[in-house]
Amino acid sequence: MKTKGLFFSLVAGTLLLLSSCGKDEVFKQYKELPNQTWERIEEGKKLTFDNIEITKENESYDIVVMLRHTPYINEDQVKFKMLITSPSGTTRESVHQIQLKDRDNKGWRGDALGDLIDIEEVCKQYVTFSEKGLYTIELVNMGTKYETVGLLEVGLKVVKSDLNIKTK
């Protein structure tokens, strides 16, 4: 009888822990790139993430870009323009660059599993949205080559900023 109670407590505790993970995540989506290629000139240069619902005005958020690539990618960095469009149509834009290799330019940054390398990078931190509603974020390839080959997926995640100040 005690074992059943202990087992039930463990299962309930695990479910509670899992349900609380990611509670500050507002949006997360990946876009798979055809032929493992992100075009710079032609159709496909712009990746659109829409229906990003912001329910509270003036709260701080972090915008994270996630890349999944192979070791055969033809760039050492991914450069892109980010356009954030509000429900009323106002657009803010900024340019970002994610380094794929380490400082010595020898190894890959991120988590590798076989021939897949995943990188998550906070590109905008402590962003506030001035109005409630559905936002759209577009990422536009600004690489140096006509196409970035070896990039499987590009993802976007919006999370509430961690504003807890930690003291020693």
Side-chain angles (χ1 to χ4, degrees):
M1 191 73 170
K2 288 183 181 180
T3 356
K4 285 183 181 178
L6 180 60
F7 177 75
F8 177 77
S9 297
L10 279 172
V11 170
T14 303
L15 288 175
L16 180 64
L17 183 64
L18 288 175
S19 67
S20 67
C21 289
K23 68 180 178 178
D24 293 335
E25 193 173 273
V26 174
F27 179 86
K28 183 177 182 179
Q29 184 180 37
Y30 282 92
K31 299 283 184 174
E32 189 174 331
L33 301 173
N35 301 318
Q36 300 180 2
T37 302
W38 191 9
E39 301 288 340
R40 183 177 62 98
I41 303 294
E42 302 300 322
E43 186 178 328
K45 69 179 180 179
K46 185 186 292 187
L47 301 174
T48 303
F49 300 89
D50 49 11
N51 295 319
I52 302 168
E53 186 173 12
I54 301 299
T55 57
K56 293 183 181 177
E57 297 173 9
N58 298 318
E59 202 164 276
S60 291
Y61 298 90
D62 296 338
I63 300 175
V64 180
V65 172
M66 303 169 294
L67 304 174
R68 174 169 284 162
H69 66 89
T70 69
Y72 313 108
I73 192 164
N74 66 341
E75 297 270 13
D76 290 338
Q77 62 192 10
V78 174
K79 186 175 180 180
F80 56 92
K81 180 170 33 174
M82 180 183 292
L83 298 123
I84 303 171
T85 305
S86 71
S88 64
T90 304
T91 300
R92 294 186 278 180
E93 70 177 64
S94 53
V95 175
H96 303 274
Q97 187 170 292
I98 297 177
Q99 292 296 127
L100 301 178
K101 293 200 170 181
D102 61 18
R103 287 183 185 218
D104 299 330
N105 213 26
K106 294 179 182 175
W108 297 105
R109 292 180 58 228
D111 298 322
L113 180 61
D115 277 351
L116 297 178
I117 299 132
D118 292 327
I119 295 178
E120 286 192 15
E121 184 147 325
V122 176
C123 289
K124 293 187 83 61
Q125 195 169 28
Y126 309 125
V127 175
T128 56
F129 296 98
S130 58
E131 48 186 295
K132 296 178 189 177
L134 298 176
Y135 281 76
T136 298
I137 297 179
E138 296 172 308
L139 304 180
V140 182
N141 187 353
M142 293 184 64
T144 58
K145 297 185 171 67
Y146 287 116
E147 52 189 26
T148 304
V149 179
L151 191 58
L152 284 77
E153 295 177 331
V154 176
L156 186 82
K157 181 166 58 171
V158 179
V159 296
K160 291 183 182 175
S161 298
D162 181 13
L163 296 174
N164 294 330
I165 299 172
K166 296 179 178 142
T167 57
K168 292 183 180 181

